[in-house]
Amino acid sequence: NTLMAAVEYEFSPDYITQESEESKPLTDEEKETLDKMCEAVGADRAMTIAHECKVRFVRGYAFEKKNGKWLQVATAEFEKLLQWRKEVDADTLLTRELPKSDLFMKAWPTCVAGVDRLGHPIIVERFADWDLDSLIKDFNDQDLTLLQARNLERVQAIKAKITEKTGRLTYKHCYVLDLNGLSSKLYSAKDQAKAIFHVAQYYYPETLYKMFLLNSPFLFRAIWKVASPMVHPITRDKMKILGGSYLDELKTHGIEADQLPPSIKGGTWKA
């Protein structure tokens, strides 16, 4: 089952040769903000949430410090998370049956491959594998939110295993999306795709380390060149738009070919 898949995820700790920023201890200011955030929502409620999750909310909204709203925004967003996790019974997403889960795995296949040199697990998806007709016909927004949340709960469980094995806090991942075959048909499923991608933004903030878009068509790159100045600098810095010769560039970002599945010209990694 999904829980066992998370538990059985294997990687070589020796492969991780660099220390990530997230693995560094909290600063005194971060500790103070975390304590105040937990106090504001109630210590008992905060205790139901993993430590790494609380750290993510503190660090993820640190950019609000310049506006004097760091604690205020982090607390407000953390409160939303607590309410949402209670409403959907998120702690059981990996262990209970969800309607349409098999159908979703076929319509939106996701592979958690190896790790980069910093220890971040690598999520790989391909546009060519997405069944957009099924996403439109078979799922509503609530379905997509819960099913994608289950995917991300599994990724978080994998990160917890990496943290346990290495002794270094790991709460971010790399996301690799192969855009080969990208077409205007995606526009017809834009609401469904938006619902899926918003799960990470709203309920799993500060989990993305880098996003790599492979085989990006010329038109996509041209549009990105115009649109990128309007994207938040923090998000923009995480995104890398690559063409068809991407393996060498991925290597410069700590992702070796043997940590990728054959479906994107990687090694022998099996999903």
Side-chain angles (χ1 to χ4, degrees):
N1 59 33
T2 307
L3 180 59
M4 287 304 295
V7 171
E8 292 177 356
Y9 178 81
E10 296 295 337
F11 71 101
S12 173
D14 294 337
Y15 189 85
I16 302 170
T17 58
Q18 301 172 31
E19 182 180 4
S20 66
E21 283 294 318
E22 76 235 45
S23 68
K24 294 180 179 179
L26 293 174
T27 65
D28 290 342
E29 189 175 22
E30 288 173 335
K31 289 178 182 177
E32 181 181 359
T33 303
L34 190 149
D35 289 342
K36 287 182 177 179
M37 181 183 75
C38 293
E39 181 181 358
V41 301
D44 289 345
R45 297 173 71 213
M47 284 180 62
T48 65
I49 302 297
H51 175 69
E52 61 83 16
C53 180
K54 290 175 278 197
V55 171
R56 286 193 284 108
F57 274 81
V58 168
R59 288 178 167 170
Y61 292 100
F63 67 89
E64 292 287 357
K65 181 180 177 180
K66 65 180 184 295
N67 301 319
K69 295 182 178 180
W70 182 11
L71 176 61
Q72 177 184 342
V73 175
T75 301
E77 296 303 319
F78 188 52
E79 175 63 36
K80 291 178 186 176
L81 173 81
L82 288 168
Q83 293 180 13
W84 174 77
R85 290 190 69 85
K86 182 177 181 180
E87 288 170 5
V88 303
D89 195 12
D91 289 345
T92 67
L93 282 174
L94 286 179
T95 55
R96 76 177 193 256
E97 291 294 326
L98 290 182
K100 305 180 184 178
S101 59
D102 290 342
L103 193 60
F104 182 66
M105 290 173 65
K106 294 177 181 178
W108 192 278
T110 296
C111 163
V112 183
V115 294
D116 69 3
R117 291 296 185 183
L118 294 167
H120 301 122
I122 305 165
I123 298 175
V124 178
E125 295 179 350
R126 301 194 313 160
F127 175 81
D129 292 335
W130 295 348
D131 187 339
L132 302 181
D133 291 331
S134 176
L135 289 177
I136 295 169
K137 176 172 61 78
D138 298 322
F139 305 92
N140 58 38
D141 282 359
Q142 184 177 10
D143 295 332
L144 295 172
T145 296
L146 281 181
L147 291 164
Q148 179 63 358
R150 169 185 264 186
N151 279 346
L152 293 175
E153 285 288 303
R154 177 175 177 252
V155 175
Q156 293 307 103
I158 287 172
K159 295 173 192 174
K161 182 165 188 177
I162 293 172
T163 296
E164 181 181 7
K165 273 199 170 185
T166 63
R168 297 177 178 178
L169 180 61
T170 301
Y171 54 75
K172 294 185 180 184
H173 60 259
C174 296
Y175 177 58
V176 177
L177 174 59
D178 183 0
L179 294 175
N180 190 37
L182 181 67
S183 69
S184 58
K185 188 175 182 181
L186 179 60
Y187 187 79
S188 65
K190 66 181 186 304
D191 292 337
Q192 288 74 21
K194 183 178 179 180
I196 292 170
F197 284 116
H198 274 193
V199 175
Q201 179 182 346
Y202 291 143
Y203 307 121
Y204 300 85
E206 197 62 6
T207 54
L208 178 67
Y209 175 62
K210 294 287 185 184
M211 175 189 291
F212 301 94
L213 302 179
L214 315 182
N215 291 310
S216 54
F218 173 78
L219 180 59
F220 179 89
R221 281 177 279 170
I223 293 172
W224 173 249
K225 187 174 182 179
V226 174
S228 60
M230 295 177 281
V231 177
H232 194 289
I234 294 177
T235 302
R236 186 172 64 237
D237 289 346
K238 293 180 178 182
M239 298 181 67
K240 303 297 178 184
I241 314 298
L242 309 181
S245 303
Y246 49 78
L247 289 178
D248 287 342
E249 187 159 356
L250 287 175
K251 187 172 182 177
T252 67
H253 292 282
I255 297 179
E256 303 284 348
D258 64 1
Q259 297 297 298
L260 298 171
S263 59
I264 56 169
K265 303 178 184 177
T268 57
W269 191 277
K270 296 181 180 179

